[in-house]
Amino acid sequence: MTNRKIILTGNFGVGKTSLFNKFIYNTFNDKYLTTIGVKVNKKVVEVEGETVSLVVWDIAGEINQNKVPTSYFLGASCVIYVFDLTRAATYLNIKSDLDYLQQFLPESMIKVVGNKVDLVQEDVIQSRLCEVPVDVDTLTSAKFGTNVEQLFLSLATELINN
């Protein structure tokens, strides 16, 4: 079995914990509960005939914050940077955050995910994406599970093929 560490990071309130809970437990809670420190759990998936244990770390807060130990990021095979499609403030620092992650974790895959797609009208999504200063890998809805399982399965596939 292959083990891979995946980090969920991004600003406060973007839905990192909701994505974590949807993928690991297939649950969703409308109540906002701040993550303190880090939540870690794993899910074993089968991709391309191979068993992969995805160890997912849901890290509280923002990347550049002194309260988030850099040791949380060490050994990560992939970082999922999550932003909230409904709040432009959550992607204002995305470029500098991604630059930092690429310098700190040069061997890690980084994916950019716009969450809460269910709260944005279809015709507004493209204009929101034009405001994001980097390419977005996928759009998700933790509430409805839109693209959540696919996100993690495609990551697992990429990780075993690289």
Side-chain angles (χ1 to χ4, degrees):
M1 180 175 351
T2 304
N3 291 304
R4 293 291 184 258
K5 178 179 178 180
I6 297 175
I7 303 290
L8 281 166
T9 192
N11 286 293
F12 289 100
V14 295
K16 298 179 300 284
T17 299
S18 293
L19 288 170
F20 177 91
N21 288 335
K22 190 58 138 179
F23 176 64
I24 300 290
Y25 308 111
N26 197 28
T27 62
F28 179 81
N29 186 341
D30 279 324
K31 295 179 184 167
Y32 176 70
L33 300 171
T34 301
T35 301
I36 298 172
V38 64
K39 286 174 53 177
V40 180
N41 210 326
K42 73 176 183 175
K43 184 171 179 176
V44 177
V45 297
E46 290 281 333
V47 290
E48 296 189 359
E50 198 165 328
T51 303
V52 183
S53 175
L54 299 177
V55 182
V56 184
W57 290 51
D58 171 18
I59 296 178
E62 302 169 26
I63 293 169
N64 57 7
Q65 186 176 260
N66 292 334
K67 296 174 188 167
V68 179
T70 55
S71 62
Y72 286 177
F73 292 93
L74 297 177
S77 298
C78 180
V79 176
I80 300 173
Y81 186 96
V82 184
F83 70 92
D84 182 342
L85 284 164
T86 69
R87 294 185 299 137
T90 67
Y91 43 89
L92 291 177
N93 297 325
I94 196 169
K95 181 77 171 97
S96 61
D97 287 348
L98 292 177
D99 288 345
Y100 171 79
L101 286 169
Q102 288 168 337
Q103 288 177 350
F104 186 63
L105 300 166
E107 302 298 316
S108 297
M109 182 187 324
I110 299 174
K111 297 292 184 182
V112 178
V113 174
N115 193 33
K116 303 185 184 180
V117 71
D118 56 293
L119 299 177
V120 181
Q121 292 179 348
E122 190 79 29
D123 58 333
V124 176
I125 291 174
Q126 285 309 312
S127 65
R128 295 274 168 91
L129 291 177
C130 289
E131 297 172 27
V132 180
V134 297
D135 290 335
V136 177
D137 293 290
T138 193
L139 302 177
T140 59
S141 166
K143 183 173 187 174
F144 295 109
T146 308
N147 294 329
V148 176
E149 189 82 10
Q150 294 91 328
L151 167 65
F152 286 94
L153 292 178
S154 68
L155 289 177
T157 302
E158 281 188 65
L159 290 170
I160 63 169
N161 288 328
N162 291 333

